[in-house]
Amino acid sequence: PGRGVKVAVIGGGLSSLTAAWDLGRKGYLVTVMSDTPGGTLLSLPEERLPRASIAEEGEALKKLKVSFGPRPELTSARIESLAREYAAVYVGLDDAPAMDPAALGLGVPDELSLAVVVPGVFVGGTGSSPVGLAAQGRKGAVSVDRFVQGVSMSASREKEGPFETRLSTPIEDVAPQAAAAMADPAGYAQAEAGVEAGRCLQCECLRCV
């Protein structure tokens, strides 16, 4: 159900869009502020990430009542103003052009919560790994939700994103098998995919990934 609580997401990169998705699913009224939805994803070649796919995901966000608007000229004063106007603000640095948190006077984001010196403002979107960017957006959404609810920003968050586990499968004595041949560069045929999948140890430790 809708919460009727307004949240601002500045930036249109993967971290921002992930935060907007998670917050929209939680019923927040999310406004994504970016001139280039897709952010640094737009630097990927068309054959790796079709622009139509980004547009389709944007439409999926709109179905969650996420709205889009231009990115404001950002200064420390403007961010403080947005923090007063909205219940919370997430700033994704992986927008285009990229944003510098030091120049915005936000300080270094807290590693656990992504909180900065301005209350209610959270900053993520650093690094180049798409998985890492999405994880930061998800962490930012959790922090926004906790901040709005007035609960602990740190309790029981040790297993958010990547973390060390005791589950591991030694592969030093496993004879490697070559990848299955692919007749069509566009992808495996069904029989080829079966051969390729047969290389999997099904150990569930995800060490290879």
Side-chain angles (χ1 to χ4, degrees):
R3 297 169 181 250
V5 178
K6 297 193 305 178
V7 173
V9 173
I10 302 174
L14 182 55
S15 75
S16 298
L17 298 179
T18 302
W21 174 266
D22 283 8
L23 291 168
R25 285 173 58 87
K26 289 178 180 291
Y28 286 97
L29 299 174
V30 183
T31 300
V32 176
M33 302 176 180
S34 175
D35 298 324
T36 53
T40 55
L41 293 175
L42 299 176
S43 64
L44 295 173
E46 173 74 18
E47 59 270 19
R48 287 189 60 194
L49 181 63
R51 300 300 177 259
S53 297
I54 297 178
E56 289 173 6
E57 294 304 320
E59 292 302 314
L61 281 169
K62 290 177 182 178
K63 291 180 181 179
L64 293 176
K65 297 183 179 179
V66 173
S67 60
F68 290 81
R71 189 174 103 179
E73 182 178 353
L74 292 180
T75 62
S76 56
R78 179 62 175 131
I79 290 177
E80 291 176 4
S81 174
L82 288 170
R84 292 191 296 269
E85 182 181 351
Y86 292 86
V89 178
Y90 175 81
V91 180
L93 303 178
D94 55 323
D95 200 14
M99 290 179 274
D100 180 3
L104 300 176
L106 297 176
V108 179
D110 177 72
E111 184 176 348
L112 183 63
S113 67
L114 304 182
V116 292
V117 294
V118 181
V121 177
F122 305 88
V123 177
T126 59
S128 59
S129 163
V131 173
L133 292 173
Q136 290 176 54
R138 176 148 291 178
K139 178 180 286 191
V142 171
S143 292
V144 165
D145 188 38
R146 287 184 174 221
F147 177 81
V148 171
Q149 295 187 59
V151 299
S152 171
M153 299 297 295
S154 59
S156 302
R157 301 190 68 170
E158 63 275 1
K159 291 189 177 180
E160 280 185 27
F163 61 92
E164 292 289 338
T165 77
R166 297 173 60 186
L167 176 61
S168 180
T169 301
I171 60 174
E172 287 75 16
D173 296 328
V174 176
Q177 298 179 19
M182 184 186 299
D184 184 351
Y188 283 118
Q190 183 172 355
E192 295 171 339
V195 174
E196 173 64 12
R199 299 197 301 140
C200 181
L201 300 178
Q202 299 187 15
C203 56
E204 300 299 328
C205 76
L206 297 181
R207 182 173 176 178
C208 60
V209 178

